[in-house]
Amino acid sequence: MLKFVLLILISVSLNAKSCAVLLYHHFSDEMPKSTSISPKLFEQHLQYLQVNEFKVLPLKTLLSKLKDNDLPDRCVVLTTDDAYQSIYTNAYPLLKKYQMPMAVFVATQAIDKNYKAMMSWNQMREIQGEYVKFYNHTAAHSHLLDLNKAQVKTQIEQAQNSLYQALGTTDKVLAYPYGESNLSILKQVEELDYIAFGQQSGVVSKASDLQNLPRFPMAANFAKMKSFQLKVNTLPMPLVKKRINPIIDKNPPMLNLTFEISQSKPQQDGFNCFANGGVDINWKDDKNVEIVAKKPLMHRRNKYNCTMPSQSKEKYYWHSVQWINPSIAE
């Protein structure tokens, strides 16, 4: 009987209702590698998704199915931040070719100021439709942590109004500039009735925070095919849902995770986390684990990435937290 129950749990976990959301910026061989993917490699991403029969969903469909806990297997969503010209020139033709949708998050002031690196409103109107939709990335792309509550609201609502006036956008979906937020901003965004995305890696599932949904960055080495294939096949770490304060108040910060079910000794041994300088992992019991970096985190934005093998050799569980030190300026 116990063996039968374990088999059911394994089957459920390997078919977890989840979706890998990918984050792109530039589609170019000429822009900074840290935020770019070549058009050739991006096409390889789309080819892989097509050949392997992934369900590439529009963002709006993802959010609807997430609320209903009805995400399909092998689910992927494509997103990009900042509305650069290379979306219009390089990404959009490929999206049409492979008939795959993408969500673009727009910082609207750059468009109003006609920055050459960005698409124009006319270009957005031209490509908006079946394969491209546009959403809120605030007005000025400011560090929201540097603003007061009224200023945060203004940044969000000004951008939403511009998107509505120019493109007819009504869906209240936000991507935080730089992926930065804190508990106060998360609560404020929830009160404003927005769903929001960060820039920490991981897969979206019922356990995800609707005001800080994860996305896998796709640029530089992270966009290479081996890394891409690993991430689109990733499963959500089976954790109890919990809102985490991403602000570093003690450096290095302590991350406490609670698993939904007890983890065996082999599972605990397979659980691993990564940060600059390494981490210490301390299992308090068979469900609760503490993770802390061995050294203070030195950048404004830092990540703990945690993985654990699943019963399938091809898939890993994944969970990530982006820690932010607002005292470090950019």
Side-chain angles (χ1 to χ4, degrees):
M1 181 65 181
L2 177 60
K3 184 176 180 181
F4 178 72
V5 171
L6 288 173
L7 287 172
I8 291 175
L9 289 174
I10 290 171
S11 175
V12 169
S13 66
L14 290 179
N15 292 282
K17 295 181 177 180
S18 60
C19 199
V21 181
L22 308 181
L23 167 60
Y24 300 90
H25 282 86
H26 296 281
F27 302 85
S28 172
D29 293 305
E30 301 172 358
M31 302 306 291
K33 290 185 178 180
S34 62
T35 55
S36 300
I37 183 172
S38 71
K40 181 179 179 180
L41 183 54
F42 179 57
E43 182 165 17
Q44 291 176 21
H45 286 190
L46 301 185
Q47 288 172 339
Y48 178 86
L49 295 173
Q50 183 181 75
V51 169
N52 291 279
E53 299 182 343
F54 280 80
K55 299 174 181 66
V56 183
L57 300 181
L59 180 60
K60 187 172 183 177
T61 302
L62 162 72
L63 299 178
S64 174
K65 289 184 174 294
L66 179 61
K67 289 182 178 180
D68 295 336
N69 194 26
D70 189 33
L71 291 172
D73 295 336
R74 305 174 71 77
C75 168
V76 168
V77 171
L78 309 175
T79 74
T80 182
D81 285 0
D82 302 331
Y84 289 111
Q85 270 285 343
S86 61
I87 298 168
Y88 181 84
T89 57
N90 296 330
Y92 177 63
L94 293 172
L95 296 172
K96 285 181 63 178
K97 178 179 178 179
Y98 291 92
Q99 300 182 8
M100 293 182 182
M102 174 175 277
V104 179
F105 290 95
V106 185
T108 56
Q109 283 186 11
I111 314 304
D112 291 335
K113 293 178 179 178
N114 297 313
Y115 288 175
K116 291 183 179 180
M118 305 299 181
M119 285 188 284
S120 67
W121 289 120
N122 283 336
Q123 287 174 321
M124 291 185 205
R125 282 189 282 268
E126 179 184 339
I127 67 174
Q128 179 174 249
E130 184 176 1
Y131 302 117
V132 179
K133 298 290 185 184
F134 295 95
Y135 299 95
N136 194 327
H137 200 31
T138 74
H141 202 277
S142 302
H143 291 279
L144 297 185
L145 297 176
D146 297 338
L147 307 180
N148 62 37
K149 186 173 182 179
Q151 290 170 327
V152 169
K153 182 179 180 181
T154 296
Q155 281 293 311
I156 295 170
E157 292 189 342
Q158 280 186 356
Q160 193 71 14
N161 183 61
S162 293
L163 287 163
Y164 175 74
Q165 294 296 329
L167 304 172
T169 300
T170 56
D171 295 313
K172 299 176 77 172
V173 187
L174 172 72
Y176 300 111
Y178 313 101
E180 292 187 358
S181 62
N182 58 22
L183 290 178
S184 176
I185 291 171
L186 295 175
K187 182 179 179 181
Q188 181 178 5
V189 167
E190 184 175 10
E191 290 171 347
L192 291 171
D193 200 27
Y194 281 81
I195 293 175
F197 287 85
Q199 291 187 11
Q200 74 281 11
S201 54
V203 285
V204 171
S205 73
K206 65 177 183 179
S208 300
D209 187 334
L210 289 176
Q211 280 66 50
N212 198 19
L213 295 171
R215 295 184 289 174
F216 282 110
M218 286 289 133
N221 290 335
F222 299 116
K224 291 182 178 180
M225 285 305 297
K226 185 177 181 179
S227 175
F228 167 80
Q229 292 172 24
L230 171 67
K231 288 165 184 172
V232 297
N233 286 289
T234 296
L235 298 168
M237 195 76 75
L239 301 172
V240 173
K241 187 172 184 177
K242 183 191 306 182
R243 176 165 285 180
I244 293 173
N245 181 12
I247 303 302
I248 297 174
D249 53 14
K250 181 181 179 182
N251 200 359
M254 175 78 73
L255 175 61
N256 292 282
L257 300 178
T258 301
F259 282 78
E260 291 180 332
I261 59 174
S262 297
Q263 302 298 298
S264 67
K265 187 62 167 61
Q267 288 171 317
Q268 293 177 31
D269 291 342
F271 178 83
N272 206 352
C273 296
F274 307 87
N276 288 338
V279 301
D280 289 319
I281 298 174
N282 177 32
W283 285 88
K284 306 296 287 184
D285 53 41
D286 57 10
K287 287 186 178 181
N288 294 281
V289 60
E290 295 178 341
I291 304 102
V292 62
K294 293 179 181 292
K295 300 178 180 179
L297 305 179
M298 302 305 293
H299 304 289
R300 180 181 174 93
R301 290 181 296 279
N302 313 262
K303 291 180 181 176
Y304 286 0
N305 290 321
C306 298
T307 64
M308 186 172 69
S310 74
Q311 286 75 20
S312 166
K313 294 180 180 179
E314 299 178 354
K315 296 188 177 186
Y316 280 79
Y317 298 109
W318 193 297
H319 182 75
S320 177
V321 173
Q322 177 170 264
W323 300 107
I324 308 161
N325 187 345
S327 65
I328 299 177
E330 281 187 322

PDB file of all heavy atoms in Angstrom, residues 6 9 31 34 51 55 66 82 101 138 189 229 246 249 272-273 276 295 303 313:
ATOM      1  N   LEU A   6       3.342   5.996  -2.800  1.00  0.00           N
ATOM      2  CA  LEU A   6       4.547   6.679  -3.264  1.00  0.00           C
ATOM      3  C   LEU A   6       4.554   6.798  -4.779  1.00  0.00           C
ATOM      4  O   LEU A   6       4.964   7.830  -5.332  1.00  0.00           O
ATOM      5  CB  LEU A   6       5.790   5.919  -2.797  1.00  0.00           C
ATOM      6  CG  LEU A   6       6.100   6.002  -1.303  1.00  0.00           C
ATOM      7  CD1 LEU A   6       7.249   5.076  -0.940  1.00  0.00           C
ATOM      8  CD2 LEU A   6       6.424   7.447  -0.900  1.00  0.00           C
ATOM      9  N   LEU A   9       2.321   9.663  -5.690  1.00  0.00           N
ATOM     10  CA  LEU A   9       2.972  10.945  -5.416  1.00  0.00           C
ATOM     11  C   LEU A   9       4.020  11.268  -6.460  1.00  0.00           C
ATOM     12  O   LEU A   9       4.150  12.411  -6.912  1.00  0.00           O
ATOM     13  CB  LEU A   9       3.604  10.916  -4.025  1.00  0.00           C
ATOM     14  CG  LEU A   9       2.636  10.930  -2.856  1.00  0.00           C
ATOM     15  CD1 LEU A   9       3.390  10.740  -1.541  1.00  0.00           C
ATOM     16  CD2 LEU A   9       1.832  12.224  -2.821  1.00  0.00           C
ATOM     17  N   MET A  31      24.170  43.723 -29.482  1.00  0.00           N
ATOM     18  CA  MET A  31      23.894  44.361 -28.196  1.00  0.00           C
ATOM     19  C   MET A  31      24.656  43.639 -27.080  1.00  0.00           C
ATOM     20  O   MET A  31      25.252  42.584 -27.303  1.00  0.00           O
ATOM     21  CB  MET A  31      22.388  44.350 -27.923  1.00  0.00           C
ATOM     22  CG  MET A  31      21.567  45.061 -29.002  1.00  0.00           C
ATOM     23  SD  MET A  31      22.128  46.761 -29.323  1.00  0.00           S
ATOM     24  CE  MET A  31      21.635  47.553 -27.801  1.00  0.00           C
ATOM     25  N   SER A  34      25.164  40.254 -22.064  1.00  0.00           N
ATOM     26  CA  SER A  34      24.527  39.942 -20.781  1.00  0.00           C
ATOM     27  C   SER A  34      23.009  39.999 -20.848  1.00  0.00           C
ATOM     28  O   SER A  34      22.332  39.427 -19.988  1.00  0.00           O
ATOM     29  CB  SER A  34      25.032  40.901 -19.702  1.00  0.00           C
ATOM     30  OG  SER A  34      24.691  42.242 -20.035  1.00  0.00           O
ATOM     31  N   VAL A  51       9.336  21.140 -32.229  1.00  0.00           N
ATOM     32  CA  VAL A  51       9.632  19.729 -32.492  1.00  0.00           C
ATOM     33  C   VAL A  51       9.221  18.854 -31.310  1.00  0.00           C
ATOM     34  O   VAL A  51       8.715  17.733 -31.488  1.00  0.00           O
ATOM     35  CB  VAL A  51      11.126  19.546 -32.814  1.00  0.00           C
ATOM     36  CG1 VAL A  51      11.507  18.070 -32.815  1.00  0.00           C
ATOM     37  CG2 VAL A  51      11.458  20.182 -34.157  1.00  0.00           C
ATOM     38  N   LYS A  55       3.555  23.322 -25.390  1.00  0.00           N
ATOM     39  CA  LYS A  55       2.407  24.222 -25.553  1.00  0.00           C
ATOM     40  C   LYS A  55       2.875  25.631 -25.190  1.00  0.00           C
ATOM     41  O   LYS A  55       3.036  25.945 -24.006  1.00  0.00           O
ATOM     42  CB  LYS A  55       1.250  23.771 -24.655  1.00  0.00           C
ATOM     43  CG  LYS A  55       0.747  22.376 -24.990  1.00  0.00           C
ATOM     44  CD  LYS A  55      -0.292  21.910 -23.995  1.00  0.00           C
ATOM     45  CE  LYS A  55      -0.780  20.506 -24.329  1.00  0.00           C
ATOM     46  NZ  LYS A  55       0.293  19.484 -24.166  1.00  0.00           N
ATOM     47  N   LEU A  66      -3.668  29.404 -14.666  1.00  0.00           N
ATOM     48  CA  LEU A  66      -3.035  29.363 -13.345  1.00  0.00           C
ATOM     49  C   LEU A  66      -4.076  29.564 -12.255  1.00  0.00           C
ATOM     50  O   LEU A  66      -4.072  28.850 -11.237  1.00  0.00           O
ATOM     51  CB  LEU A  66      -1.956  30.442 -13.259  1.00  0.00           C
ATOM     52  CG  LEU A  66      -1.209  30.568 -11.928  1.00  0.00           C
ATOM     53  CD1 LEU A  66      -0.474  29.283 -11.592  1.00  0.00           C
ATOM     54  CD2 LEU A  66      -0.234  31.743 -11.979  1.00  0.00           C
ATOM     55  N   ASP A  82      11.198  45.614 -22.048  1.00  0.00           N
ATOM     56  CA  ASP A  82      11.756  46.885 -22.508  1.00  0.00           C
ATOM     57  C   ASP A  82      11.401  47.299 -23.933  1.00  0.00           C
ATOM     58  O   ASP A  82      11.646  48.436 -24.311  1.00  0.00           O
ATOM     59  CB  ASP A  82      13.276  46.940 -22.350  1.00  0.00           C
ATOM     60  CG  ASP A  82      13.717  46.727 -20.912  1.00  0.00           C
ATOM     61  OD1 ASP A  82      12.946  47.071 -20.006  1.00  0.00           O
ATOM     62  OD2 ASP A  82      14.826  46.212 -20.699  1.00  0.00           O
ATOM     63  N   PRO A 101       3.294  32.839 -29.557  1.00  0.00           N
ATOM     64  CA  PRO A 101       3.027  34.170 -28.996  1.00  0.00           C
ATOM     65  C   PRO A 101       4.095  34.617 -28.008  1.00  0.00           C
ATOM     66  O   PRO A 101       4.780  33.794 -27.388  1.00  0.00           O
ATOM     67  CB  PRO A 101       1.690  33.967 -28.286  1.00  0.00           C
ATOM     68  CG  PRO A 101       1.742  32.531 -27.840  1.00  0.00           C
ATOM     69  CD  PRO A 101       2.491  31.790 -28.917  1.00  0.00           C
ATOM     70  N   THR A 138       6.154  49.711 -16.088  1.00  0.00           N
ATOM     71  CA  THR A 138       6.184  51.039 -15.458  1.00  0.00           C
ATOM     72  C   THR A 138       6.496  52.123 -16.492  1.00  0.00           C
ATOM     73  O   THR A 138       6.877  51.827 -17.624  1.00  0.00           O
ATOM     74  CB  THR A 138       7.170  51.147 -14.264  1.00  0.00           C
ATOM     75  OG1 THR A 138       8.509  51.186 -14.738  1.00  0.00           O
ATOM     76  CG2 THR A 138       6.946  50.023 -13.270  1.00  0.00           C
ATOM     77  N   VAL A 189       0.956  46.254  -5.091  1.00  0.00           N
ATOM     78  CA  VAL A 189       0.615  45.746  -6.417  1.00  0.00           C
ATOM     79  C   VAL A 189      -0.592  44.820  -6.340  1.00  0.00           C
ATOM     80  O   VAL A 189      -1.486  44.856  -7.200  1.00  0.00           O
ATOM     81  CB  VAL A 189       1.840  45.031  -7.034  1.00  0.00           C
ATOM     82  CG1 VAL A 189       1.462  44.218  -8.260  1.00  0.00           C
ATOM     83  CG2 VAL A 189       2.919  46.053  -7.385  1.00  0.00           C
ATOM     84  N   GLN A 229      17.171  23.879 -22.661  1.00  0.00           N
ATOM     85  CA  GLN A 229      16.443  22.618 -22.597  1.00  0.00           C
ATOM     86  C   GLN A 229      16.205  22.175 -21.156  1.00  0.00           C
ATOM     87  O   GLN A 229      15.135  21.661 -20.815  1.00  0.00           O
ATOM     88  CB  GLN A 229      17.209  21.540 -23.371  1.00  0.00           C
ATOM     89  CG  GLN A 229      17.239  21.767 -24.870  1.00  0.00           C
ATOM     90  CD  GLN A 229      18.150  20.800 -25.593  1.00  0.00           C
ATOM     91  OE1 GLN A 229      18.432  19.692 -25.115  1.00  0.00           O
ATOM     92  NE2 GLN A 229      18.639  21.195 -26.755  1.00  0.00           N
ATOM     93  N   PRO A 246      12.373  39.921  -0.102  1.00  0.00           N
ATOM     94  CA  PRO A 246      13.626  39.796  -0.859  1.00  0.00           C
ATOM     95  C   PRO A 246      14.713  40.782  -0.450  1.00  0.00           C
ATOM     96  O   PRO A 246      15.817  40.736  -0.988  1.00  0.00           O
ATOM     97  CB  PRO A 246      13.174  40.057  -2.301  1.00  0.00           C
ATOM     98  CG  PRO A 246      12.023  41.009  -2.155  1.00  0.00           C
ATOM     99  CD  PRO A 246      11.322  40.611  -0.885  1.00  0.00           C
ATOM    100  N   ASP A 249      18.348  42.212   4.982  1.00  0.00           N
ATOM    101  CA  ASP A 249      18.484  42.967   6.232  1.00  0.00           C
ATOM    102  C   ASP A 249      19.636  42.422   7.075  1.00  0.00           C
ATOM    103  O   ASP A 249      20.174  43.118   7.929  1.00  0.00           O
ATOM    104  CB  ASP A 249      17.174  42.982   7.031  1.00  0.00           C
ATOM    105  CG  ASP A 249      16.613  41.595   7.270  1.00  0.00           C
ATOM    106  OD1 ASP A 249      17.340  40.600   7.056  1.00  0.00           O
ATOM    107  OD2 ASP A 249      15.445  41.501   7.677  1.00  0.00           O
ATOM    108  N   ASN A 272      20.236  20.870  -3.645  1.00  0.00           N
ATOM    109  CA  ASN A 272      21.441  21.699  -3.687  1.00  0.00           C
ATOM    110  C   ASN A 272      21.061  23.134  -4.009  1.00  0.00           C
ATOM    111  O   ASN A 272      20.070  23.381  -4.723  1.00  0.00           O
ATOM    112  CB  ASN A 272      22.416  21.171  -4.736  1.00  0.00           C
ATOM    113  CG  ASN A 272      23.853  21.526  -4.428  1.00  0.00           C
ATOM    114  OD1 ASN A 272      24.136  22.298  -3.505  1.00  0.00           O
ATOM    115  ND2 ASN A 272      24.777  20.981  -5.189  1.00  0.00           N
ATOM    116  N   CYS A 273      21.817  24.068  -3.488  1.00  0.00           N
ATOM    117  CA  CYS A 273      21.595  25.485  -3.764  1.00  0.00           C
ATOM    118  C   CYS A 273      22.911  26.131  -4.160  1.00  0.00           C
ATOM    119  O   CYS A 273      23.994  25.672  -3.778  1.00  0.00           O
ATOM    120  CB  CYS A 273      21.009  26.202  -2.545  1.00  0.00           C
ATOM    121  SG  CYS A 273      19.362  25.621  -2.078  1.00  0.00           S
ATOM    122  N   ASN A 276      27.029  32.908  -5.119  1.00  0.00           N
ATOM    123  CA  ASN A 276      28.449  33.248  -5.208  1.00  0.00           C
ATOM    124  C   ASN A 276      29.158  32.915  -3.896  1.00  0.00           C
ATOM    125  O   ASN A 276      28.737  33.357  -2.832  1.00  0.00           O
ATOM    126  CB  ASN A 276      28.607  34.739  -5.517  1.00  0.00           C
ATOM    127  CG  ASN A 276      28.216  35.073  -6.935  1.00  0.00           C
ATOM    128  OD1 ASN A 276      28.206  34.208  -7.806  1.00  0.00           O
ATOM    129  ND2 ASN A 276      27.890  36.333  -7.195  1.00  0.00           N
ATOM    130  N   LYS A 295      29.336  33.504   2.281  1.00  0.00           N
ATOM    131  CA  LYS A 295      29.928  34.836   2.344  1.00  0.00           C
ATOM    132  C   LYS A 295      28.844  35.889   2.155  1.00  0.00           C
ATOM    133  O   LYS A 295      27.802  35.602   1.562  1.00  0.00           O
ATOM    134  CB  LYS A 295      30.989  34.987   1.249  1.00  0.00           C
ATOM    135  CG  LYS A 295      32.145  34.005   1.337  1.00  0.00           C
ATOM    136  CD  LYS A 295      33.106  34.214   0.177  1.00  0.00           C
ATOM    137  CE  LYS A 295      34.272  33.240   0.231  1.00  0.00           C
ATOM    138  NZ  LYS A 295      35.193  33.425  -0.918  1.00  0.00           N
ATOM    139  N   LYS A 303      21.280  36.047  -6.177  1.00  0.00           N
ATOM    140  CA  LYS A 303      20.303  34.963  -6.214  1.00  0.00           C
ATOM    141  C   LYS A 303      20.785  33.736  -5.452  1.00  0.00           C
ATOM    142  O   LYS A 303      21.971  33.424  -5.429  1.00  0.00           O
ATOM    143  CB  LYS A 303      20.000  34.573  -7.671  1.00  0.00           C
ATOM    144  CG  LYS A 303      19.239  35.632  -8.444  1.00  0.00           C
ATOM    145  CD  LYS A 303      18.970  35.202  -9.873  1.00  0.00           C
ATOM    146  CE  LYS A 303      18.228  36.302 -10.636  1.00  0.00           C
ATOM    147  NZ  LYS A 303      18.030  35.945 -12.051  1.00  0.00           N
ATOM    148  N   LYS A 313      15.111  11.348 -14.993  1.00  0.00           N
ATOM    149  CA  LYS A 313      16.486  11.767 -15.185  1.00  0.00           C
ATOM    150  C   LYS A 313      16.573  13.091 -15.957  1.00  0.00           C
ATOM    151  O   LYS A 313      17.591  13.780 -15.892  1.00  0.00           O
ATOM    152  CB  LYS A 313      17.268  10.681 -15.921  1.00  0.00           C
ATOM    153  CG  LYS A 313      17.438   9.388 -15.122  1.00  0.00           C
ATOM    154  CD  LYS A 313      18.231   8.357 -15.906  1.00  0.00           C
ATOM    155  CE  LYS A 313      18.393   7.074 -15.112  1.00  0.00           C
ATOM    156  NZ  LYS A 313      19.156   6.045 -15.876  1.00  0.00           N
TER     157      LYS A 313
END
